[in-house]
Amino acid sequence: MTRVEAFVPTATLFQIIADVARPHNARLVLQRFETAHHGAALSVVEASPLAADEYLSGGYELAYLALRKAPAGEQDWSFVDREAADLLEFAGARQRGEDLEQVTIRPLAKKTNVARLFAATKAAIAATCKQGVMLNRQPYPKIFYAKELEGRRSRLWVDIETKTISASVIG
């Protein structure tokens, strides 16, 4: 099962998340850490394309599709460990202007209950994307990128904060 890595605009990713969450009755949980502008929090939001705006404007860095339970509140820090087998994690995927961060999608636990959710997400990414990027001039043929990025002047980063590893599409 492992993980999926992709460069997908945030709005497109949250459309995929909404499409995958609906038939699985999964909840969307956003997580942010303490910053100068926001306090650390877990938030349950509706799985919809509009969640992309909340993710970006709210300073979130992680999103989870949760199969069974949601956090008891914004400060339920044991939620991720407690429910790991039922969580699919989306790390990154932040976007600021022309800068776009890679998203890494993975089940949190080795013994997981999200195999079908992960497979549906991977299939949706494969249907929306092509494969093959360059990271610091090294080819990575298994990393996906949204087809819509081919004609745009987006700057792709593995981490939007540090901007230490840049990427470009091969195709």
Side-chain angles (χ1 to χ4, degrees):
M1 205 175 321
T2 66
R3 65 184 182 185
V4 172
E5 297 171 312
F7 289 94
V8 181
T10 310
T12 304
L13 178 66
F14 276 83
Q15 178 64 60
I16 290 169
I17 289 171
D19 292 344
V20 169
R22 198 172 303 112
H24 293 91
N25 294 319
R27 293 181 174 98
L28 179 58
V29 179
L30 305 180
Q31 183 176 11
R32 68 177 174 225
F33 304 97
E34 187 81 30
T35 67
H37 303 290
H38 301 284
L42 290 165
S43 300
V44 179
V45 299
E46 181 183 349
S48 78
L50 298 175
D53 293 332
E54 175 68 19
Y55 184 75
L56 294 173
S57 66
Y60 294 96
E61 296 180 38
L62 298 170
Y64 303 98
L65 279 179
L67 275 184
R68 293 197 169 85
K69 296 184 180 177
E74 284 192 345
Q75 308 297 312
D76 183 6
W77 302 124
S78 64
F79 168 76
V80 174
D81 292 332
R82 187 176 65 242
E83 300 298 325
D86 293 324
L87 297 177
L88 184 62
E89 178 187 74
F90 298 79
R94 294 173 290 177
Q95 191 170 354
R96 291 189 192 115
E98 297 299 316
D99 291 337
L100 176 64
E101 181 178 49
Q102 175 181 298
V103 62
T104 301
I105 306 162
R106 68 185 182 103
L108 273 187
K110 288 184 181 183
K111 291 185 178 183
T112 184
N113 299 320
V114 296
R116 281 193 242 149
L117 195 61
F118 181 71
T121 304
K122 186 174 182 178
I125 292 286
T128 315
C129 298
K130 292 185 175 183
Q131 283 184 287
V133 301
M134 300 285 282
L135 298 178
N136 287 346
R137 299 186 185 148
Q138 292 286 99
Y140 287 80
K142 293 186 178 182
I143 296 177
F144 290 93
Y145 66 91
K147 295 172 188 172
E148 64 196 80
L149 295 176
E150 287 182 315
R152 294 172 56 185
R153 292 182 178 250
S154 297
R155 292 182 298 255
L156 309 176
W157 305 99
V158 171
D159 184 320
I160 204 167
E161 299 297 331
T162 63
K163 295 185 179 177
T164 53
I165 300 177
S166 64
S168 59
V169 298
I170 293 175

